[in-house]
Amino acid sequence: MGNKIMSMMKKDGSKSKRMNRSQRKLLADEELLHRRALSMAIHQTQLSQRFDGSMSRRVGSTSTRKHRTLSDPFSNGKQVPDFSSESLTVKKFVLVHGEGFGAWCWYKIVASLEESGLSPITVDLTGSGFNMTDTNTVSTLEDYSKPLIEYLENLPEEDKVILVGHSTGGASISYALERFPEKISKAIFVCATMVANGQRPFDVFSQELGSAEKFMKESQFLIYGNGKDEPPTGFMFEKQHMKGLYFNQSPNKDIALAMMSMRPVPLGPMMEKVTLTAERYGKGRRFYVQTLDDLALSPDVQEKLVRENSPEGVYKIKGSDHSPFFSKPQSLHKILLEIAQIP
């Protein structure tokens, strides 16, 4: 009897050691990815100090890593449901960041999609991330969305993509859907500004920030790139304000990355009324991902957007702040895969 108990204890000990090794491997994978993202952020900061607005660079995914079946390094060992990319006709995701962010914010989602055998592409919108254009010179949604539009213009005729837009990146993918409905298989709005025709992206945030007119007159976060006597050209929240609005559920390491990498937001694109037609934008397949612990774009506001703009499908992420790529990457990854598989 004693020998049997000892044998069972040894087996349990071996199992525990294997689990510990597996857990350590997952943590090491996450740490490696975070170091890479942090390195990119530091490089971005150095570039912004060294160069003026004459330099422009768009960052895309250049990984040639082959498909491997691995557990998601951000899900504490939980496996993503069975998924095969072989049956998909569209495997290319174009990830579009929101205000102040850059391509860097998608680093966890890029890794997860690549592990699933898909092809994620990230873009830095004008004046964002590694794109060193002076944000004070970006006055229209067309200017702001130019890297995304150029990418779509250069796609081969037979190619289609799935667009994913975060926050005000929703206005950019709406603009792209109006321009190139034939090249976009699906458009996924992640706690994003899914605006109606004639609406400004800023209007979506009016519950949190007040009316556009009041914000333009009274906000302490405005930037006057052309002098105090001229209209404001951009805005940027203070760090503590950003933490409270965007990252109330995000890991500290990702908040640190964001604090190093966030850039001023050009005001013109946010205040521009977007023109969308039923003949082009209206024919696109739209999906919305709601974040239920969001302090920047409240669940009530997101629910209103969904009611008024009727996407094909709605998904909800519990416990996510305004940055689900940080706070709930595994849940967001799972939703993207699910939408990709919809015929």
Side-chain angles (χ1 to χ4, degrees):
M1 182 69 178
N3 290 338
K4 185 176 181 181
I5 291 174
M6 289 295 292
S7 176
M8 289 174 64
M9 289 176 64
K10 287 179 180 179
K11 288 180 180 178
D12 288 345
S14 298
K15 183 178 180 182
S16 175
K17 287 180 180 178
R18 286 196 298 272
M19 289 177 65
N20 287 338
R21 283 198 296 270
S22 175
Q23 202 66 15
R24 286 196 297 270
K25 175 64 166 57
L26 292 172
L27 291 172
D29 287 345
E30 179 176 2
E31 184 65 29
L32 177 60
L33 281 170
H34 190 271
R35 285 178 183 173
R36 288 175 179 171
L38 193 60
S39 175
M40 288 179 67
I42 293 169
H43 181 54
Q44 171 188 306
T45 302
Q46 292 170 340
L47 281 174
S48 65
Q49 292 170 347
R50 189 187 307 173
F51 295 98
D52 60 20
S54 62
M55 189 186 111
S56 175
R57 177 182 175 191
R58 186 175 78 239
V59 180
S61 171
T62 56
S63 172
T64 56
R65 181 167 44 180
K66 294 182 179 180
H67 169 47
R68 291 180 292 160
T69 305
L70 295 176
S71 60
D72 191 310
F74 317 106
S75 59
N76 296 322
K78 294 179 182 177
Q79 294 287 334
V80 173
D82 289 343
F83 171 80
S84 173
S85 64
E86 298 304 316
S87 60
L88 295 182
T89 55
V90 178
K91 300 181 182 181
K92 192 171 291 183
F93 283 77
V94 180
L95 308 175
V96 183
H97 62 82
E99 72 284 355
F101 291 84
W104 52 267
C105 72
W106 296 106
Y107 78 96
K108 292 180 180 179
I109 303 303
V110 167
S112 297
L113 290 174
E114 287 178 343
E115 296 291 358
S116 296
L118 300 171
S119 302
I121 302 295
T122 57
V123 295
D124 278 320
L125 298 178
T126 307
S128 305
F130 278 93
N131 186 302
M132 290 300 144
T133 302
D134 183 356
T135 54
N136 294 305
T137 66
V138 184
S139 57
T140 67
L141 184 60
E142 181 180 6
D143 292 340
Y144 187 52
S145 306
K146 188 176 180 181
L148 172 62
I149 298 306
E150 287 181 343
Y151 174 79
L152 293 173
E153 282 177 336
N154 292 321
L155 267 184
E157 284 188 18
E158 66 278 7
D159 279 14
K160 285 194 173 188
V161 299
I162 296 173
L163 288 188
V164 182
H166 168 246
S167 199
T168 56
S172 291
I173 69 171
S174 294
Y175 178 68
L177 194 55
E178 176 70 22
R179 289 280 306 271
F180 303 105
E182 72 284 354
K183 293 188 175 185
I184 299 166
S185 170
K186 300 179 181 82
I188 305 173
F189 295 76
V190 180
C191 52
T193 50
M194 188 171 62
V195 296
N197 178 46
Q199 191 177 17
R200 295 175 290 198
F202 185 90
D203 293 340
V204 177
F205 291 93
S206 60
Q207 181 173 306
E208 299 295 336
L209 302 176
S211 69
E213 291 73 23
K214 183 178 180 181
F215 185 83
M216 292 283 281
K217 289 180 181 178
E218 302 177 8
S219 176
Q220 60 181 319
F221 306 114
L222 293 173
I223 297 170
Y224 294 84
N226 298 322
K228 273 284 187 179
D229 296 331
E230 298 295 328
T233 53
F235 70 92
M236 187 166 187
F237 297 124
E238 294 176 354
K239 288 186 176 182
Q240 285 305 118
H241 202 76
M242 280 193 283
K243 288 179 182 179
L245 277 178
Y246 295 131
F247 310 115
N248 51 294
Q249 296 294 337
S250 294
N252 287 333
K253 289 192 295 185
D254 290 325
I255 296 175
L257 171 65
M259 292 303 97
M260 289 185 64
S261 307
M262 298 286 281
R263 291 181 61 188
V265 183
L267 198 55
M270 290 278 285
M271 297 298 179
E272 182 179 327
K273 292 183 178 180
V274 182
T275 300
L276 303 170
T277 64
E279 295 76 22
R280 298 182 69 78
Y281 172 82
K283 291 182 178 178
R285 301 184 67 185
R286 292 175 292 113
F287 299 81
Y288 200 93
V289 180
Q290 295 179 327
T291 43
L292 301 186
D293 204 6
D294 194 325
L295 300 182
L297 198 63
S298 72
D300 288 344
V301 172
Q302 294 183 48
E303 193 65 42
K304 183 182 177 185
L305 287 174
V306 166
R307 284 198 310 270
E308 294 178 350
N309 297 286
S310 302
E312 182 176 328
V314 179
Y315 299 79
K316 300 183 180 184
I317 304 180
K318 294 181 180 179
S320 175
D321 54 23
H322 196 58
S323 305
F325 36 72
F326 290 157
S327 58
K328 289 289 181 178
Q330 194 261 349
S331 297
L332 180 56
H333 173 224
K334 179 180 176 182
I335 288 170
L336 296 183
L337 296 188
E338 188 171 330
I339 293 174
Q341 294 176 87
I342 296 174

